[in-house]
């Protein structure tokens, strides 16, 4: 069984940090979760999908759709530097609202509130509102969104010049005590620091432990992985049969 972890950040300034999470943390996390719970975690990276979006609304829709797929209890990682990022205009919000189905009434209501009240939001802060604060999710589920989130601050609010970034970080610090890792604690090159790597891994490990309270015995895990492998192989044969029929 593979579950998804969504990474939220601005793109151009935080590529190295996103790659670090995917490459360094990903392998360790996969090994830990498959050995203990019989599940693996895959990181959702929208850098390619968003760049290829045909219109502004599709950018929002793509982000929120993937966030839905990686809903609680799956971890949600937010990396914030000193860049606020691009802001969706009214056209983009309208396009995104039109793309949503009736079952997404909570998300639609949230986006309409942003549009109608002219709230200042970047694409990344929209992801944070939904993925971490649970805005756009049913109210009874919002605490689950908060508990599954890990923030990584590349810079502190006191170091930032952008008022929007300062307000966002202060809002996060007020609502998520104990769920923020400050990169400046780990020297000038935190991405090369084993202490920083361990700090991120251990925070994610704690979130996953709380979501999967019962460890499985090794025999059961092996059976689960074997069944999953056989199912994947069966899908492959099914696919080939369908192709042959079409030919």
């Amino acid at each position: 069984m593979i579950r998804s972890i969504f990474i939220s950040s601005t793109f151009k300034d935080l590529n190295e940090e996103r790659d670090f999470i995917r490459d360094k943390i990903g392998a360790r996390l996969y090994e830990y979760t498959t050995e203990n719970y019989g599940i693996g975690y895959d990181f959702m990276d929208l850098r390619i999908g968003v760049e290829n979006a045909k219109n502004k609304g599709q950018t929002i829709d793509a982000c929120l759709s993937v966030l839905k797929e990686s809903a609680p209890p799956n971890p949600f990682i937010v990396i914030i530097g000193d860049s606020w990022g691009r802001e969706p205009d009214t056209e983009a919000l309208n396009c995104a609202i039109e793309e949503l189905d009736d079952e997404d009434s909570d998300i639609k209501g949230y986006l309409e509130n942003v549009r109608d009240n002219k709230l200042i939001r970047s694409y990344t802060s929209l992801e944070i509102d939904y993925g971490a604060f649970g805005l756009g999710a049913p109210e009874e589920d919002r605490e689950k969104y908060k508990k599954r989130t890990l923030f990584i601050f590349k810079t502190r609010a006191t170091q930032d010049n952008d008022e929007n970034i300062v307000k966002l970080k202060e809002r996060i610090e007020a609502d998520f005590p104990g769920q923020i890792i400050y990169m400046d604690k780990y020297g000038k090159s935190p991405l090369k620091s084993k202490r920083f790597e361990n700090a991120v891994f251990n925070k994610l490990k704690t979130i996953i432990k709380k979501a999967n309270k019962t460890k499985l015995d090794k025999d059961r895990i092996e059976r689960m992985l074997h069944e999953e492998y056989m199912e994947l192989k069966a899908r492959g044969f099914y696919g080939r049969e369908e192709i042959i029929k079409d030919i």
Side-chain angles (χ1 to χ4, degrees):
M1 182 187 298
I2 302 294
R3 294 181 180 174
S4 300
I5 298 177
F6 189 95
I7 303 175
S8 176
S9 79
T10 48
F11 287 162
K12 292 181 180 178
D13 57 323
L14 295 171
N15 272 319
E16 287 186 51
E17 287 75 13
R18 292 176 75 99
D19 290 343
F20 171 87
I21 297 293
R22 185 194 62 207
D23 299 336
K24 283 280 188 179
I25 305 300
R28 289 182 65 182
L29 204 63
Y30 188 88
E31 182 179 0
Y32 168 75
T33 55
T34 51
E35 285 183 359
N36 290 279
Y37 305 107
I39 55 177
Y41 281 91
D42 187 25
F43 290 100
M44 305 296 290
D45 193 331
L46 286 182
R47 280 176 284 189
I48 297 173
V50 166
E51 286 175 2
N52 293 337
K54 293 180 181 178
N55 62 53
K56 297 174 182 178
Q58 283 186 343
T59 299
I60 300 174
D61 192 52
C63 295
L64 296 182
S65 295
V66 175
L67 272 168
K68 280 180 64 181
E69 291 178 24
S70 54
N74 294 344
F76 176 52
I77 302 172
V78 181
I79 312 169
I80 307 179
D82 58 5
S83 173
W84 175 243
R86 293 186 301 125
E87 295 179 2
D89 56 20
T90 302
E91 180 190 349
L93 291 167
N94 284 335
C95 288
I97 290 165
E98 288 173 10
E99 292 275 345
L100 292 168
D101 299 324
D102 291 338
E103 64 184 32
D104 296 316
S105 58
D106 290 306
I107 301 174
K108 188 177 291 189
Y110 162 69
L111 291 177
E112 287 171 342
N113 180 54
V114 172
R115 179 196 64 193
D116 297 343
N117 292 290
K118 301 188 185 305
L119 302 181
I120 299 173
R121 294 290 185 271
S122 65
Y123 284 98
T124 303
S125 68
L126 286 175
E127 293 174 358
I128 294 169
D129 273 358
Y130 179 55
F133 287 92
L135 304 179
E139 192 168 348
E140 63 270 18
D141 292 337
R142 289 178 185 174
E143 195 59 30
K144 297 176 185 176
Y145 282 77
K146 287 189 173 184
K147 289 179 179 178
R148 61 81 175 255
T149 302
L150 170 63
F151 290 94
I152 300 172
F153 283 9
K154 185 173 182 177
T155 57
R156 296 179 186 250
T158 53
Q159 299 171 307
D160 296 319
N161 296 318
D162 190 311
E163 184 182 351
N164 292 319
I165 280 286
V166 172
K167 286 181 178 179
L168 176 62
K169 287 181 177 177
E170 289 176 346
R171 179 176 164 224
I172 290 167
E173 287 173 330
D175 278 52
F176 295 86
Q179 290 172 247
I180 305 169
I181 294 175
Y182 296 94
M183 291 180 67
D184 64 3
K185 287 178 61 178
Y186 301 92
K188 293 182 178 180
S189 303
L191 298 183
K192 297 178 181 178
S193 166
K194 194 68 178 177
R195 286 176 55 242
F196 175 65
E197 180 185 328
N198 288 338
V200 175
F201 173 74
N202 288 330
K203 286 282 188 184
L204 288 173
K205 186 175 168 182
T206 298
I207 292 170
I208 290 166
K209 271 185 176 180
K210 289 177 180 177
N212 302 276
K213 295 180 180 178
T214 305
K215 285 189 177 183
L216 303 180
D217 63 78
K218 289 187 177 181
D219 288 340
R220 186 176 174 189
I221 289 173
E222 284 184 12
R223 285 198 302 273
M224 287 173 62
L225 293 174
H226 178 71
E227 288 169 3
E228 183 178 342
Y229 173 76
M230 294 303 294
E231 183 182 345
L232 287 171
K233 294 294 285 185
R235 286 179 192 169
F237 281 111
Y238 175 78
R240 285 194 288 275
E241 288 173 0
E242 293 300 305
I243 290 169
I244 290 168
K245 285 180 184 176
D246 288 339
I247 294 171

